[in-house]
Amino acid sequence: MKPRLLFILPQKRPPYEIEMITRFRRFDPSILWYARNGLKVLGHSLPWRRVLSVESLEHLFMRRSGNRITNAKLIVTLELHSPESYLVSKCFPEHQHVVLVWETLKNHPFYLVPPIGLQSRYVSKNADHFIAFTRRSAAHLKSLGIDPSKISVIYPGIDLTKFKPTYNQRRSGKVRFLYSGVLERHKGLDILLQAFRRTNDSNFELTIAGRGSLETMVRSTAAYDDRIKFLGWLPQQERHYVFGNSDVFCCPSLDARFFFWKYWEEQFGFSLVEAMGSGLPVVSTNCGAISEVVGSRNLIVPQGSVNSMALALETIGGDEGLRFHLGSENRSRAEDLFDVEKQSLHLENAMIRLSAH
């Protein structure tokens, strides 16, 4: 009989971890979902305001999910600051508890707001192991005082049979730039639009895919520049088609700050990996973990610089040989580091080792 592995994950989370979990062969994985507006245990949701008072949830958590948890060989939760991580650490200390971590900022608001800050410190001291999805995330865990021997780094992966180069489609004479992501200020979309409009090259096209508070601005800008196309939000099953019909991927993200306090940066960037898998060169900023993900060969510009971004767009847009060279290197990098088949095996092997303790 395969050992039981229980994941506790957000109910409507994009399929980042699921892509790897569903490929496990030596475990019998099951997933306990919780709702975004609170904890969801076996179909029952609790308001988020009550999750802040975790102590009052302990009895309910154990009563409704106890059987599923006690039958598991290994319990996996997401992020130190989640209430689920705290409840598992506190209520089931006899079980092996692994925390998956994307977070990269030591001063994240969740670490500073009671009681979540205290609960995060409890998890950092009592969870058995932490799997960081980037080296930057691992460095953040070490900065919190976690023993390095309890930290592993395993990159996530994507399906490279879907996201693959389609060079034969790129002969229209146009150079097609792509931005795909949420339409918010911290993603630097306004910087990208300003930079693109400075290029004035009639062979350049910019496709924007996403949704968010800047949608009106995107539509307004596209109305004045027919080189800019807005697709709206891309369903997951359509993303690889749009990437396959593009030539350059743009990621102009910015650190989000409240005065001098940085409270957000790019933790990974799945769109970057999807672009690399599709054989696209990348124009990006140096925000968060972007440089670690894309490597040093792509065009990386300072955050918030319209001039630098415009120059990078003109450089890559005007050099087909450079685009092909960088795109080929990116495909190789994706195959080496971000193939979901390989990465799911690495993750499962790590779980096997931990469950043996």
Side-chain angles (χ1 to χ4, degrees):
M1 180 180 295
K2 296 179 180 179
R4 288 283 310 281
L5 179 63
L6 178 63
F7 286 82
I8 305 179
L9 298 172
Q11 185 182 26
K12 295 183 179 180
R13 183 171 177 77
Y16 301 147
E17 301 87 9
I18 301 303
E19 283 283 342
M20 293 191 286
I21 295 169
T22 54
R23 288 171 167 80
F24 285 5
R25 296 293 178 263
R26 290 168 289 171
F27 270 113
D28 177 20
S30 61
I31 300 170
L32 183 64
W33 301 104
Y34 67 89
R36 282 195 175 275
N37 64 339
L39 186 66
K40 186 166 187 176
V41 180
L42 302 184
H44 298 275
S45 295
L46 301 170
W48 182 254
R49 63 181 178 273
R50 290 191 59 195
V51 173
L52 294 177
S53 180
V54 176
E55 294 293 339
S56 66
L57 298 179
E58 288 185 20
H59 177 69
L60 182 63
F61 182 81
M62 294 180 69
R63 178 164 57 87
R64 292 185 174 171
S65 62
N67 288 339
R68 294 184 69 180
I69 288 181
T70 53
N71 291 333
K73 183 72 173 177
L74 198 67
I75 307 171
V76 184
T77 57
L78 189 64
E79 302 294 1
L80 279 75
H81 50 64
S82 73
E84 295 71 35
S85 292
Y86 173 69
L87 286 169
V88 170
S89 285
K90 193 169 193 299
C91 299
F92 298 93
E94 70 280 6
H95 282 65
Q96 287 287 315
H97 178 201
V98 177
V99 183
L100 306 179
V101 182
W102 297 92
E103 186 56 64
T104 56
L105 293 177
K106 181 179 180 180
N107 291 324
H108 189 282
F110 282 145
Y111 294 144
L112 305 177
V113 177
I116 299 177
L118 294 175
Q119 294 158 10
S120 299
R121 286 191 282 276
Y122 187 92
V123 174
S124 71
K125 296 180 188 308
N126 291 279
D128 296 287
H129 204 79
F130 303 86
I131 294 180
F133 286 119
T134 62
R135 297 192 182 281
R136 191 175 184 89
S137 182
H140 143 259
L141 291 173
K142 293 173 186 176
S143 75
L144 296 175
I146 295 174
D147 184 347
S149 67
K150 296 174 64 175
I151 301 170
S152 299
V153 177
I154 300 175
Y155 287 130
I158 62 167
D159 188 346
L160 293 178
T161 64
K162 291 182 178 179
F163 292 93
K164 56 187 178 182
T166 54
Y167 300 113
N168 60 320
Q169 298 180 16
R170 301 175 189 173
R171 296 177 182 172
S172 64
K174 300 289 186 180
V175 180
R176 294 161 292 191
F177 296 88
L178 173 66
Y179 169 87
S180 177
V182 296
L183 311 181
E184 301 294 344
R185 294 282 178 192
H186 65 274
K187 290 293 187 174
L189 187 55
D190 53 337
I191 303 297
L192 175 61
L193 288 171
Q194 292 178 57
F196 183 78
R197 295 197 68 188
R198 286 191 185 183
T199 60
N200 289 321
D201 191 317
S202 60
N203 288 322
F204 287 4
E205 292 181 352
L206 173 62
T207 297
I208 305 290
R211 60 187 172 201
S213 63
L214 298 184
E215 182 173 335
T216 300
M217 182 196 74
V218 172
R219 290 184 181 277
S220 175
T221 305
Y224 287 99
D225 191 336
D226 60 8
R227 301 177 304 156
I228 300 174
K229 315 295 181 185
F230 178 58
L231 298 183
W233 184 253
L234 285 180
Q236 192 68 28
Q237 63 272 21
E238 296 179 13
R239 292 179 61 82
H240 61 283
Y241 294 115
V242 176
F243 279 78
N245 283 294
S246 301
D247 297 298
V248 180
F249 185 74
C250 304
C251 182
S253 296
L254 308 169
D255 295 339
R257 298 180 182 273
F258 182 73
F259 294 102
F260 297 105
W261 178 34
K262 182 166 70 170
Y263 61 88
W264 181 89
E265 65 179 18
E266 283 288 356
Q267 297 173 344
F268 183 73
F270 269 85
S271 292
L272 291 166
V273 179
E274 290 167 347
M276 294 166 67
S278 302
L280 304 184
V282 173
V283 176
S284 71
T285 62
N286 57 355
C287 178
I290 290 178
S291 297
E292 178 183 347
V293 172
V294 304
S296 60
R297 304 298 296 273
N298 288 278
L299 279 68
I300 299 177
V301 303
Q303 297 181 40
S305 173
V306 175
N307 289 336
S308 297
M309 179 62 70
L311 179 59
L313 296 179
E314 290 174 340
T315 299
I316 195 73
D319 192 334
E320 183 177 4
L322 180 61
R323 294 197 300 274
F324 183 84
H325 178 70
L326 292 180
S328 297
E329 286 191 349
N330 282 349
R331 174 66 188 187
S332 296
R333 183 176 178 84
E335 291 173 349
D336 289 341
L337 299 178
F338 306 116
D339 182 348
V340 71
E341 297 294 341
K342 294 180 181 178
Q343 299 313 112
S344 63
L345 181 60
H346 291 325
L347 183 60
E348 186 176 25
N349 286 340
M351 298 294 181
I352 291 287
R353 289 194 300 271
L354 294 169
S355 66
H357 291 171

